[in-house]
Amino acid sequence: MRDIGAAVIGTGFIGSVHLNTLRRLGVPVAGVLGSSPSRGAERAKALGVPRAYGSLDELLADPAVQVVHVTSPNVAHYPQVKAILGAGKHVICEKPLSMTSAQSADMLALARASGKIAAVCYNTRFYPLNQHAHGMMSAGELGDLRLITGQFHQDWLAKETDWNWRLEADEGGPLRSVSDIGTHWVDLTNFITGQKPVAVMAELATFIPERQKPLGPVETFTTATGATETRKIATDDAATILLRYGNGGRGVLTTSQISHGRRGLLTWDISGSKASAAWSAEAPENLWIGHREAPNQILLRDPSLMNPFGAAASGMPGGHPEGFADTWAAFFSQVYADVARGSRGPQSTWASFEDGHYEMLFCDAVLESAAQGTWVNIAGGN
Amino acid sequence: MRDIGAAVIGTGFIGSVHLNTLRRLGVPVAGVLGSSPSRGAERAKALGVPRAYGSLDELLADPAVQVVHVTSPNVAHYPQVKAILGAGKHVICEKPLSMTSAQSADMLALARASGKIAAVCYNTRFYPLNQHAHGMMSAGELGDLRLITGQFHQDWLAKETDWNWRLEADEGGPLRSVSDIGTHWVDLTNFITGQKPVAVMAELATFIPERQKPLGPVETFTTATGATETRKIATDDAATILLRYGNGGRGVLTTSQISHGRRGLLTWDISGSKASAAWSAEAPENLWIGHREAPNQILLRDPSLMNPFGAAASGMPGGHPEGFADTWAAFFSQVYADVARGSRGPQSTWASFEDGHYEMLFCDAVLESAAQGTWVNIAGGN
Amino acid sequence: MRDIGAAVIGTGFIGSVHLNTLRRLGVPVAGVLGSSPSRGAERAKALGVPRAYGSLDELLADPAVQVVHVTSPNVAHYPQVKAILGAGKHVICEKPLSMTSAQSADMLALARASGKIAAVCYNTRFYPLNQHAHGMMSAGELGDLRLITGQFHQDWLAKETDWNWRLEADEGGPLRSVSDIGTHWVDLTNFITGQKPVAVMAELATFIPERQKPLGPVETFTTATGATETRKIATDDAATILLRYGNGGRGVLTTSQISHGRRGLLTWDISGSKASAAWSAEAPENLWIGHREAPNQILLRDPSLMNPFGAAASGMPGGHPEGFADTWAAFFSQVYADVARGSRGPQSTWASFEDGHYEMLFCDAVLESAAQGTWVNIAGGN
Amino acid sequence: MRDIGAAVIGTGFIGSVHLNTLRRLGVPVAGVLGSSPSRGAERAKALGVPRAYGSLDELLADPAVQVVHVTSPNVAHYPQVKAILGAGKHVICEKPLSMTSAQSADMLALARASGKIAAVCYNTRFYPLNQHAHGMMSAGELGDLRLITGQFHQDWLAKETDWNWRLEADEGGPLRSVSDIGTHWVDLTNFITGQKPVAVMAELATFIPERQKPLGPVETFTTATGATETRKIATDDAATILLRYGNGGRGVLTTSQISHGRRGLLTWDISGSKASAAWSAEAPENLWIGHREAPNQILLRDPSLMNPFGAAASGMPGGHPEGFADTWAAFFSQVYADVARGSRGPQSTWASFEDGHYEMLFCDAVLESAAQGTWVNIAGGN
């Protein structure tokens, strides 16, 4: 992967994560594209990147670039990805894939037609124990899915003085907690269970109907100071969602960005017909495995104890904790191997545009269900 | 409370818990009533109780008995409680209070008219940290309720060869996991939050549609051997439930009796407008308190660190773990103090027949919602 | 055991624990003996006990008493136990057994000669998972003992204004943390491993050399108010101790009564040649079992998953947490069964006077080692 | 730091960690030096490094190299570091610093004389919560050190068929568990407490006196196959160690490489005169803070809640778990900033050669104490 050149669109928090991961893997990063030419130039210097492109066209014209990473705000994903695929380059796009499922359907069709690698950044799949759980489930070790519960709770928008561009529907889309973090959970558990929910019953809640918007810019996960204006907020601070799976399994998901003391508590808990398993992002190196007639187990991440999926995603021997940054290394490592190969490998586990498009359909169904107060079927569930 | 005589109806697992708790508190137990006179006599001897009544009438005629504990199967609660209150005795009844809300409405009216103490056995309230959480919430320390999530998961009915009388609707009622364990969660969280859900959206699941029923008797939490017959099962192995609260708060509850490795995992997690709190019955001596702008806290049960509600329910200093049996001691201790006083004390926290009746209305709404696939309002919510 | 009469010497915190446990088991308690006749009368009334003895002689003369529980201050154990055994009664004595090993040697000889049941109150053995660990170790499931580490840390004497009679050597003996809580750990791990340390290397520390002694009385685990006087303290606030076992195994124990935030953190962690195990009194319903070539296990207390030792000590099915009070019920239940039988049962696991005497020899060795700064052999180790 | 060139000696597991970290930070790596020229060439190709040096001289002659990372076996540290400093380059050396304290004394003198940056790889300091704990302790938030306990337990040498070069004294030195992992604990806790033990009482244990040595090569943390020969082993499988601090504080450390199920369980637990704190490498994102008169706290790593030391070492916002790899990034980032500055910064927290030399003196004292069975003073303690 050291011969494949990359460029990164977006230079904020998650853009830096992409950049640092590429460096760690030895992938040459040709340049970055900022939100404006001057911002891009400033960030390129700060980040030590050789070049700041003046425009997407300039980026796409750079022959050193074979893979483009899209970390811009959600609203920009659609036009950028179309241009990238149109230019014959591979693309790794942040989630959610787009603003609407019509866009993501287009993007999926383009990706298929292009034959290029097109990945969505659901990095959470790449915690090695999530990969291991995927392997356990596909090998039938837990039996059939009966019940899955889980959550993704944060607190960074718990106060009315907290602000972020995602709060307003025109920039982040009509959903917030469901779209921004809920789709992480949906993607992760779809990956693990091998199923996609077929119907959803959702309730959306906005507990803080008015917030103070700073007049100046705000970085994600930072707090602004200075003058503000009051804005009405309609996007979801939290959501409570019931799920139905094609095999008769049931599920529950809650999302929240207002839970004091929870920074990024993504959890899942699967009750299968043979055994159970559970995992939490707050203790990502432990997989709980539940038994009725034997002691429960805690699998501490260790390649020597894991199935091939888990072992492949482990960058370290046991006893050397891995974290968020390491999931990106495992993720990109697999994608770039597929770029080198020219197609998705048979054992590859990164989220495809099919997955990203499903997440958009899921969001559509959530919105419709919440509006109607009834169950809504999800196209693309299985 | 050592002058107040008690009798216990039912001599199974939970009947023994009642009996042992009464003894520990020094309450004289006059006798027990078994499922049949011979069973009663046999159990009285085994349990070291002076007398086995031949009938409820005989029990009620015993002047040594002032308080009657009802631990019989659900279907017997209604007639027995009516007779007990009619005989002018106090009653402590196992949950759920009855088979239908019509019955519980009657029982509530009778209890009010009688002026007797009438308690329902939601003992989980009496884990001292649940009492403490109740105190925190009523003092406004968590702010307004925004989101509450939780579960009660067990595994004792995870296999098709598991059998219990609760599986069949005619003995245990049309609901199973919701009625047997879900109402524990509802009662507990109503107690803590000071609110009762006003609407519910429920989904019921029966993953094991046919089970093997032993031809002989089975004790709760034991496994039968011998010949069986196949029975179709319609009651819920699990349920997934959304909740709406009167103040705009939202909730999620899941119940399961088929989750391998979970013996009695009752948890709740409250996101308030000021702070969060969470508790698990698997670690009942720890209360998690969540903050946005300070480290989270773990309150290890200790009377010296707790509010009056928590301290009053603590039987031991910190560092001496309490458990299930101790909740009964705190519960009965408070009820018998009220019996001695002749009325419910102003700081009493045991579940009343009002609470027990609400739980029946909750079950009605769950059944209706699951049948219709829509939200259903709950009479009695607030 | 409902025909065997008991009396309790001492009416403080631990005396109440004895009393409540006896009641719960249905053992008739004939009376109590207080620190003075008036204190005894007052406490008997408060505790609902029929009789307060005016003296030990009066107690011993009561034909209703077959078993005497000794919960008086350490200094009184020796004369009281001698009198009890001399009177032909069974005895259950609080730990540590005596003030000196000369006393405990005498007590052991008397107990042997008497043929009576003579137990020491190391109740911690009776957490069911400690019983289970004992069973695992004796069945060879962990292999040979290699390394054992652990602690007993509390914080109730962390401040110079904390006071208790144990602080002064003339009432509590020359050791404090080692004697009061360290011997709990030694007894427990001796029971589990089936070995008694053969040599010790100890270091004693008094971090608070002067304390404020209240002029009035102080109950254990309570805080006094009012006038105080300054007293020099020579007993150990904490101790750090290395251990050698007869089979070549090694150990480490620390005791502390000054560790802020630790109320009763007794832990042990055994590395055997085949597997490991660990337990903590802060999570007494979980036993960690460690493997090199398989996932680690968490055994959640459940009689259906435990060996006969663990199952016998379990009063409740899984999913119903047990605690400190329940250990006493399991402990006394076994002792009274042996009283009924007339001798220690072949599977009995309560601490004998042999064990209690060993603990005194251990304390002797600790004192000598700390004074000399060298390893000291322990008579009675094996 | 993107103008400073580096080279790495050693291409095994830890060499790769160095290399990947440098890449992630954008530090250009000029080349590597393998255990032989052919091994070096092969590894350079595999790792994507531009150059493999044929010898240390060749490496030192490369003007592109300003900082040399030493990850060779312990026995090579001394001559290599001397040459590196002699060549006027900065050095980052793996731990332990040398085979003997005579060597490390020399190395320290050379480092001082050179004025170059000379760091030792005690990366564990750079878990952000360890940095935070250092800040808490230096600000007096825990009060005076009273008691510190802890361990570093692994299981990779638990079986007699496990082999590694560290097992034999002539390659790894006379100590093994103490030197390889114990010094990690000593360095970390010295950093946090601001003190260095002044005396030690140690016991060394070799539970597996004979092992099977493979005739072919073995990588650390891997298992060999094929023919073996029996070798007698004299180095420590485990050690139990008492510590005395200059202020009267006491400590206990155990090290083990034979504890089944523990992959890298490094823990510390400090009882201060005002409060307590504890941390475990198995849950590195949580710091436990203990209080006597308030609930205990769990600080979940988050720069917004940490002191400047902790915040500076955090690469991610809260809710994005950091791990082992991230400690290296924080560590090297600080060292390279000091290289750029030309001297150690006033707030720098990396382990110096003074620290590394102390660790060697500590090992000397451990060996002497274990041989004599007495306390031994440590030169350099404070």
Side-chain angles (χ1 to χ4, degrees):
Chain A
M1 67 190 66
R2 297 186 185 102
D3 317 322
I4 305 168
V8 179
I9 303 177
T11 59
F13 165 67
I14 204 67
S16 306
V17 170
H18 282 240
L19 179 63
N20 291 340
T21 308
L22 291 169
R23 279 182 166 147
R24 173 174 167 181
L25 297 176
V27 174
V29 179
V32 295
L33 177 65
S35 51
S36 69
S38 62
R39 165 87 173 160
E42 180 198 322
R43 293 293 294 156
K45 195 175 164 198
L47 295 165
V49 173
R51 180 172 177 189
Y53 300 104
S55 67
L56 180 56
D57 286 346
E58 196 182 316
L59 183 159
L60 295 176
D62 185 347
V65 175
Q66 288 156 272
V67 183
V68 184
H69 293 246
V70 178
T71 76
S72 47
N74 303 351
V75 72
H77 293 181
Y78 179 59
Q80 290 175 341
V81 167
K82 281 210 299 187
I84 292 162
L85 288 171
K89 299 192 187 283
H90 305 282
V91 66
I92 299 178
C93 185
E94 267 303 325
K95 35 61 55 182
L97 192 49
S98 56
M99 295 292 280
T100 67
S101 60
Q103 291 179 345
S104 59
D106 254 24
M107 292 158 88
L108 171 56
L110 277 170
R112 282 180 175 158
S114 74
K116 295 293 163 187
I117 295 294
V120 193
C121 293
Y122 288 108
N123 67 297
T124 310
R125 293 182 176 210
F126 285 89
Y127 280 102
L129 289 168
N130 283 331
Q131 292 275 328
H132 183 81
H134 163 80
M136 288 184 78
M137 200 79 195
S138 40
E141 293 172 28
L142 303 182
D144 297 327
L145 171 67
R146 286 178 171 173
L147 179 64
I148 179 166
T149 62
Q151 63 185 325
F152 199 148
H153 287 189
Q154 302 175 326
D155 68 357
W156 64 299
L157 297 172
K159 301 174 70 177
E160 70 135 6
T161 47
D162 298 322
W163 188 263
N164 184 269
W165 58 263
R166 289 176 179 86
L167 285 158
E168 296 191 305
D170 51 359
E171 247 190 299
L175 286 172
R176 176 168 30 105
S177 73
V178 173
S179 164
D180 189 32
I181 55 178
T183 59
H184 257 305
W185 188 93
V186 171
D187 181 78
L188 173 61
T189 56
N190 288 357
F191 166 61
I192 292 171
T193 63
Q195 293 192 63
K196 292 184 165 79
V198 295
V200 69
M201 168 72 217
E203 173 86 335
L204 302 173
T206 306
F207 300 113
I208 307 175
E210 290 190 345
R211 288 177 181 261
Q212 300 309 311
K213 177 176 184 174
L215 300 181
V218 192
E219 285 287 306
T220 296
F221 296 120
T222 65
T223 302
T225 53
T228 63
E229 59 180 322
T230 300
R231 298 296 287 254
K232 293 200 184 307
I233 300 298
T235 52
D236 45 302
D237 289 324
T240 53
I241 303 177
L242 303 185
L243 305 169
R244 287 181 184 152
Y245 290 84
N247 76 330
R250 308 299 161 87
V252 171
L253 162 65
T254 59
T255 58
S256 165
Q257 295 177 319
I258 52 80
S259 294
H260 294 265
R262 304 299 192 190
R263 291 310 203 252
L265 185 59
L266 188 166
T267 70
W268 57 258
D269 186 325
I270 293 174
S271 299
S273 56
K274 289 188 190 167
S276 302
W279 180 86
S280 164
E282 281 196 359
E285 296 275 287
N286 293 276
L287 182 69
W288 178 88
I289 304 168
H291 301 290
R292 158 75 176 273
E293 286 159 345
N296 296 329
Q297 296 172 296
I298 300 284
L299 173 58
L300 197 59
R301 185 192 59 75
D302 188 301
S304 76
L305 298 180
M306 295 164 86
N307 57 37
F309 290 98
S314 282
M316 293 279 164
H320 299 76
E322 298 197 28
F324 178 81
D326 303 295
T327 63
W328 291 91
F331 170 26
F332 286 1
S333 185
Q334 197 182 78
V335 173
Y336 275 81
D338 287 350
V339 167
R341 176 192 295 113
S343 65
R344 184 183 179 96
Q347 297 299 314
S348 284
T349 55
W350 43 267
S352 67
F353 272 29
E354 278 84 356
D355 298 316
H357 177 51
Y358 172 86
E359 262 77 71
M360 296 310 300
L361 296 171
F362 178 88
C363 289
D364 286 355
V366 163
L367 275 171
E368 186 183 340
S369 171
Q372 299 182 356
T374 57
W375 284 93
V376 169
N377 290 334
I378 309 171
N382 68 347
Chain B
M1 67 190 69
R2 296 183 185 106
D3 317 322
I4 304 168
V8 179
I9 302 178
T11 58
F13 165 66
I14 203 68
S16 306
V17 170
H18 282 240
L19 180 62
N20 291 341
T21 308
L22 291 169
R23 280 182 165 147
R24 173 173 167 182
L25 297 176
V27 174
V29 179
V32 295
L33 177 64
S35 52
S36 69
S38 62
R39 165 86 173 158
E42 179 197 322
R43 294 292 294 155
K45 194 173 164 196
L47 296 164
V49 173
R51 182 171 175 189
Y53 300 105
S55 67
L56 179 56
D57 285 346
E58 196 181 316
L59 183 158
L60 295 175
D62 184 347
V65 174
Q66 288 156 271
V67 183
V68 185
H69 293 246
V70 179
T71 77
S72 47
N74 303 350
V75 73
H77 293 181
Y78 179 58
Q80 290 175 341
V81 168
K82 280 210 300 188
I84 292 161
L85 289 170
K89 298 189 188 283
H90 305 281
V91 64
I92 299 178
C93 184
E94 268 302 326
K95 34 62 52 181
L97 193 50
S98 55
M99 295 292 279
T100 67
S101 60
Q103 290 179 347
S104 59
D106 255 23
M107 292 159 89
L108 172 55
L110 277 170
R112 283 178 175 160
S114 74
K116 296 293 163 188
I117 296 293
V120 193
C121 293
Y122 288 108
N123 66 297
T124 309
R125 292 181 176 211
F126 285 88
Y127 280 103
L129 289 167
N130 283 331
Q131 293 275 329
H132 183 81
H134 164 80
M136 289 183 78
M137 201 80 194
S138 40
E141 294 173 27
L142 304 182
D144 298 326
L145 171 66
R146 286 177 171 173
L147 179 65
I148 179 165
T149 62
Q151 62 185 328
F152 199 149
H153 287 189
Q154 302 176 325
D155 67 359
W156 63 300
L157 297 172
K159 302 175 68 178
E160 70 133 7
T161 48
D162 297 323
W163 187 262
N164 184 270
W165 58 263
R166 289 177 180 84
L167 285 158
E168 295 191 305
D170 50 359
E171 245 189 300
L175 285 172
R176 178 171 25 108
S177 74
V178 173
S179 164
D180 189 31
I181 55 178
T183 60
H184 257 305
W185 188 92
V186 171
D187 181 79
L188 174 59
T189 56
N190 288 359
F191 166 62
I192 292 170
T193 63
Q195 294 192 62
K196 294 184 163 78
V198 296
V200 68
M201 168 73 218
E203 173 87 335
L204 302 173
T206 305
F207 300 113
I208 307 175
E210 289 190 346
R211 288 177 180 261
Q212 301 307 311
K213 178 178 183 173
L215 300 181
V218 192
E219 285 287 307
T220 296
F221 295 122
T222 64
T223 302
T225 53
T228 62
E229 59 179 323
T230 301
R231 298 296 285 256
K232 291 200 185 306
I233 300 298
T235 52
D236 44 301
D237 289 325
T240 52
I241 303 177
L242 304 185
L243 305 169
R244 286 180 185 154
Y245 290 84
N247 77 329
R250 308 298 162 86
V252 171
L253 162 66
T254 59
T255 59
S256 164
Q257 297 177 318
I258 50 80
S259 294
H260 293 266
R262 304 299 192 189
R263 291 311 203 249
L265 185 60
L266 187 167
T267 68
W268 58 257
D269 187 326
I270 293 174
S271 299
S273 57
K274 289 188 190 165
S276 302
W279 180 86
S280 164
E282 281 196 359
E285 297 274 287
N286 294 276
L287 181 69
W288 179 87
I289 304 168
H291 301 289
R292 158 75 176 272
E293 284 158 346
N296 296 329
Q297 295 173 297
I298 300 284
L299 174 57
L300 198 59
R301 187 194 56 76
D302 188 301
S304 76
L305 298 180
M306 295 164 86
N307 57 37
F309 290 99
S314 281
M316 293 280 164
H320 299 76
E322 298 198 30
F324 179 80
D326 303 296
T327 64
W328 291 90
F331 170 25
F332 287 1
S333 185
Q334 197 181 79
V335 174
Y336 275 80
D338 287 351
V339 167
R341 176 190 295 113
S343 65
R344 183 182 180 95
Q347 298 298 316
S348 285
T349 55
W350 43 267
S352 66
F353 273 29
E354 279 83 357
D355 299 316
H357 177 50
Y358 173 85
E359 262 77 71
M360 296 309 300
L361 296 171
F362 179 89
C363 288
D364 286 355
V366 162
L367 276 170
E368 187 183 340
S369 171
Q372 300 183 356
T374 57
W375 284 91
V376 169
N377 290 333
I378 309 172
N382 68 348
Chain C
M1 67 189 67
R2 297 184 184 103
D3 317 323
I4 304 168
V8 179
I9 302 177
T11 59
F13 165 67
I14 203 67
S16 306
V17 170
H18 282 240
L19 180 63
N20 291 341
T21 307
L22 292 169
R23 279 182 167 148
R24 172 173 169 181
L25 297 176
V27 174
V29 179
V32 295
L33 177 65
S35 51
S36 69
S38 62
R39 164 86 174 161
E42 179 198 323
R43 291 294 293 155
K45 194 174 163 196
L47 296 165
V49 174
R51 182 172 176 190
Y53 300 105
S55 67
L56 180 55
D57 286 346
E58 196 182 315
L59 184 159
L60 295 176
D62 185 346
V65 174
Q66 288 156 272
V67 183
V68 184
H69 294 245
V70 179
T71 76
S72 46
N74 303 351
V75 73
H77 293 181
Y78 178 58
Q80 290 175 341
V81 167
K82 281 209 300 187
I84 292 161
L85 289 170
K89 299 190 188 283
H90 306 281
V91 65
I92 300 178
C93 185
E94 268 301 325
K95 35 60 58 181
L97 193 49
S98 56
M99 296 290 281
T100 67
S101 60
Q103 291 179 345
S104 59
D106 254 23
M107 292 158 87
L108 171 56
L110 277 170
R112 283 179 175 159
S114 73
K116 296 293 163 186
I117 295 294
V120 194
C121 294
Y122 288 108
N123 68 297
T124 309
R125 293 182 175 210
F126 285 89
Y127 280 102
L129 289 167
N130 283 331
Q131 293 275 329
H132 182 81
H134 164 80
M136 289 184 77
M137 201 79 195
S138 41
E141 294 173 27
L142 303 182
D144 297 327
L145 171 66
R146 286 177 172 174
L147 179 64
I148 179 165
T149 62
Q151 62 185 326
F152 199 148
H153 287 188
Q154 303 176 325
D155 66 359
W156 65 298
L157 297 173
K159 301 174 70 178
E160 70 133 8
T161 48
D162 298 322
W163 187 263
N164 184 269
W165 57 263
R166 289 177 180 84
L167 285 159
E168 296 192 303
D170 50 359
E171 248 190 299
L175 285 172
R176 177 170 26 109
S177 72
V178 173
S179 165
D180 188 32
I181 54 178
T183 60
H184 258 304
W185 188 92
V186 171
D187 181 79
L188 174 60
T189 56
N190 287 358
F191 165 62
I192 291 170
T193 63
Q195 294 192 63
K196 293 184 165 78
V198 296
V200 69
M201 169 72 217
E203 174 86 334
L204 302 173
T206 305
F207 300 113
I208 307 175
E210 289 190 346
R211 288 177 181 260
Q212 300 308 311
K213 178 177 184 173
L215 300 182
V218 192
E219 286 287 306
T220 296
F221 294 122
T222 65
T223 302
T225 52
T228 63
E229 58 180 323
T230 300
R231 299 294 287 255
K232 293 201 185 305
I233 300 298
T235 53
D236 45 302
D237 289 324
T240 52
I241 303 176
L242 304 185
L243 305 169
R244 287 181 184 153
Y245 290 85
N247 77 330
R250 308 297 162 88
V252 171
L253 162 66
T254 60
T255 58
S256 165
Q257 296 177 319
I258 51 80
S259 294
H260 293 266
R262 305 298 193 190
R263 292 309 203 252
L265 185 61
L266 187 167
T267 69
W268 57 258
D269 186 326
I270 293 174
S271 298
S273 57
K274 289 189 188 165
S276 302
W279 180 86
S280 164
E282 282 197 358
E285 297 274 289
N286 294 276
L287 181 69
W288 178 87
I289 304 168
H291 302 288
R292 158 75 177 272
E293 284 159 347
N296 296 329
Q297 295 172 297
I298 300 284
L299 174 58
L300 198 58
R301 186 194 57 77
D302 188 302
S304 76
L305 298 180
M306 295 164 87
N307 57 36
F309 290 98
S314 281
M316 293 278 164
H320 299 76
E322 297 198 30
F324 178 80
D326 303 295
T327 63
W328 290 91
F331 170 26
F332 286 1
S333 185
Q334 197 182 79
V335 173
Y336 275 81
D338 287 351
V339 167
R341 176 190 295 114
S343 65
R344 183 183 180 96
Q347 298 298 316
S348 286
T349 54
W350 43 267
S352 67
F353 273 28
E354 278 83 357
D355 297 317
H357 177 50
Y358 173 86
E359 263 77 70
M360 296 308 301
L361 296 171
F362 179 89
C363 289
D364 286 355
V366 162
L367 275 170
E368 186 182 341
S369 171
Q372 300 183 355
T374 57
W375 285 92
V376 169
N377 290 334
I378 309 172
N382 68 348
Chain D
M1 69 190 67
R2 298 185 184 103
D3 317 322
I4 305 168
V8 180
I9 303 178
T11 60
F13 165 67
I14 203 67
S16 306
V17 170
H18 282 239
L19 179 63
N20 292 340
T21 307
L22 291 169
R23 279 182 167 148
R24 173 174 168 181
L25 296 176
V27 173
V29 179
V32 295
L33 176 65
S35 51
S36 69
S38 62
R39 164 85 173 160
E42 179 198 323
R43 294 293 294 155
K45 194 173 164 197
L47 296 165
V49 173
R51 181 171 176 190
Y53 301 104
S55 67
L56 180 56
D57 285 347
E58 195 181 316
L59 183 158
L60 295 176
D62 184 348
V65 174
Q66 289 155 271
V67 183
V68 184
H69 293 245
V70 178
T71 76
S72 47
N74 304 350
V75 72
H77 293 181
Y78 178 59
Q80 290 176 340
V81 167
K82 281 209 300 188
I84 293 161
L85 288 170
K89 299 191 188 280
H90 305 283
V91 66
I92 299 178
C93 184
E94 268 302 325
K95 34 61 54 182
L97 193 49
S98 56
M99 296 291 279
T100 67
S101 59
Q103 290 179 346
S104 58
D106 254 24
M107 292 159 88
L108 172 55
L110 277 169
R112 283 179 175 160
S114 74
K116 295 293 164 188
I117 296 293
V120 194
C121 294
Y122 288 108
N123 67 297
T124 310
R125 293 182 175 208
F126 285 88
Y127 280 102
L129 289 168
N130 284 331
Q131 293 275 329
H132 183 80
H134 164 80
M136 288 183 78
M137 201 79 194
S138 40
E141 295 173 27
L142 303 182
D144 298 326
L145 172 66
R146 286 178 172 174
L147 179 64
I148 180 165
T149 62
Q151 61 184 328
F152 199 149
H153 287 190
Q154 303 176 325
D155 67 358
W156 65 300
L157 297 173
K159 302 174 69 177
E160 70 135 5
T161 48
D162 298 322
W163 188 262
N164 184 270
W165 58 264
R166 289 176 180 85
L167 285 159
E168 295 191 307
D170 51 359
E171 246 190 299
L175 285 172
R176 177 169 27 107
S177 72
V178 173
S179 164
D180 188 31
I181 55 178
T183 59
H184 257 305
W185 188 92
V186 172
D187 181 80
L188 173 60
T189 56
N190 287 359
F191 166 61
I192 292 171
T193 63
Q195 293 192 64
K196 293 185 164 80
V198 295
V200 69
M201 169 71 218
E203 173 86 336
L204 302 173
T206 305
F207 300 113
I208 307 175
E210 288 190 346
R211 289 177 180 260
Q212 300 308 311
K213 178 176 183 174
L215 300 181
V218 193
E219 285 286 308
T220 296
F221 296 122
T222 64
T223 302
T225 52
T228 63
E229 59 179 323
T230 300
R231 298 295 285 256
K232 292 200 186 305
I233 301 297
T235 53
D236 45 301
D237 289 324
T240 52
I241 303 176
L242 304 185
L243 306 169
R244 286 181 185 154
Y245 290 84
N247 77 330
R250 308 298 161 87
V252 170
L253 162 66
T254 60
T255 57
S256 165
Q257 296 177 318
I258 51 81
S259 293
H260 294 265
R262 304 300 192 190
R263 292 310 203 251
L265 185 60
L266 187 167
T267 69
W268 57 258
D269 187 325
I270 292 173
S271 299
S273 57
K274 289 189 189 166
S276 302
W279 180 87
S280 165
E282 282 196 358
E285 296 275 288
N286 294 277
L287 181 69
W288 178 88
I289 304 168
H291 301 289
R292 157 76 176 272
E293 285 157 346
N296 296 329
Q297 295 172 297
I298 300 285
L299 174 58
L300 197 60
R301 186 192 58 76
D302 187 302
S304 76
L305 298 181
M306 296 164 86
N307 57 37
F309 290 99
S314 281
M316 293 279 165
H320 299 76
E322 297 198 28
F324 178 80
D326 303 295
T327 63
W328 290 91
F331 170 26
F332 286 2
S333 185
Q334 198 182 79
V335 174
Y336 276 80
D338 286 351
V339 167
R341 176 190 297 113
S343 66
R344 182 182 180 96
Q347 298 299 316
S348 285
T349 54
W350 42 267
S352 66
F353 273 28
E354 278 83 357
D355 298 316
H357 177 51
Y358 173 86
E359 262 77 72
M360 296 309 300
L361 295 172
F362 179 87
C363 289
D364 287 354
V366 163
L367 276 170
E368 186 184 340
S369 171
Q372 299 184 357
T374 57
W375 284 92
V376 168
N377 290 333
I378 309 171
N382 68 347

